[in-house]
Amino acid sequence: MAVHEHSHRTARFHLFSRGPRTHPAVAAPTGLVTHTARDHALASLRLLTGFVFLWAFLDKTFGLGYATASGRGWTDGGSPTKGFLGSVAAGPMESTFHAWAGAGWADWLFMLGLLGIGAAVMAGVALRPAALAGSAMMALMWLAEWPPAKRLSDGSPSMSTNPFADYHVIYALALIAVAAAGAGTTWGLGRLWARLPVVRDHAWLR
């Protein structure tokens, strides 16, 4: 009987004392789920952000009837930069943007930028160069719209809703975030891209 009680108490002691010891085994799947959820969230952000750039390229090229009216696309002889840059009405670079509006080099640089950034970000490759190019493009577009201005050059209200944080800033930060997190490895070609010899030798290409 004494042996039975001792065995019983020992069993009870181990039952309760091993609870915390098994906690890491329980925590591992939870951490894995959290890690996977983060990867999926960043991959979703990457795909959506890349699609913003890629769709802008397609719409401006073929005039799909959204921001660019049908028949006024780049393939129809329209200029992707003339309307936007020509209508700049505030900010320190107003006259400069007017001079750039409709220029051939500006159209090609803008459109190649949209295509390159959109395709790279959606594919999950060259995220760092894409983030740099995309942030520069967003900075120029931010300057063109100039959110700090309460009034335009003609004195009319600018209708700006925020003096700093508009959608251009959000897009730039999204590009930087997915590049910094290496978000191209989930639902993308990031791993294959990283194995290329030129990418292994030049980390800034990742």
Side-chain angles (χ1 to χ4, degrees):
M1 185 61 142
V3 174
H4 177 72
E5 286 184 359
H6 177 72
S7 176
H8 180 66
R9 290 175 183 175
T10 302
R12 290 184 59 191
F13 174 78
H14 285 302
L15 177 64
F16 290 100
S17 64
R18 287 183 181 179
R21 294 180 186 179
T22 59
H23 181 70
V26 175
T30 304
L32 181 60
V33 170
T34 302
H35 181 74
T36 302
R38 183 196 66 187
D39 290 344
H40 288 173
L42 286 169
S44 299
L45 177 63
R46 190 197 86 234
L47 290 170
L48 290 173
T49 304
F51 186 71
V52 168
F53 286 84
L54 190 59
W55 177 259
F57 168 80
L58 295 173
D59 185 47
K60 293 179 183 299
T61 299
F62 302 109
L64 300 179
Y66 287 83
T68 306
S70 179
R72 300 186 64 180
W74 199 21
T75 56
D76 299 312
S79 170
T81 62
K82 187 174 182 179
F84 177 67
L85 294 181
S87 63
V88 173
M93 295 186 65
E94 180 179 350
S95 60
T96 301
F97 287 134
H98 287 173
W100 291 356
W105 66 267
D107 288 345
W108 275 96
L109 192 60
F110 180 56
M111 295 299 282
L112 289 176
L114 289 177
L115 175 60
I117 295 165
V121 173
M122 290 199 71
V125 303
L127 293 181
R128 293 178 183 180
L132 179 62
S135 296
M137 180 183 290
M138 290 299 100
L140 287 171
M141 295 181 73
W142 186 89
L143 286 170
E145 294 195 7
W146 197 242
K150 293 182 179 180
R151 295 192 173 276
L152 303 178
S153 300
D154 61 2
S156 61
S158 68
M159 305 304 291
S160 175
T161 59
N162 190 297
F164 175 72
D166 73 343
Y167 65 99
H168 297 107
V169 177
I170 303 301
Y171 287 156
L173 288 178
L175 289 170
I176 293 170
V178 297
T185 58
T186 300
W187 301 339
L189 304 175
R191 285 191 177 89
L192 293 175
W193 177 258
R195 292 173 188 164
L196 296 177
V198 65
V199 179
R200 288 202 305 264
D201 296 339
H202 302 86
W204 63 272
L205 290 174
R206 294 186 177 181

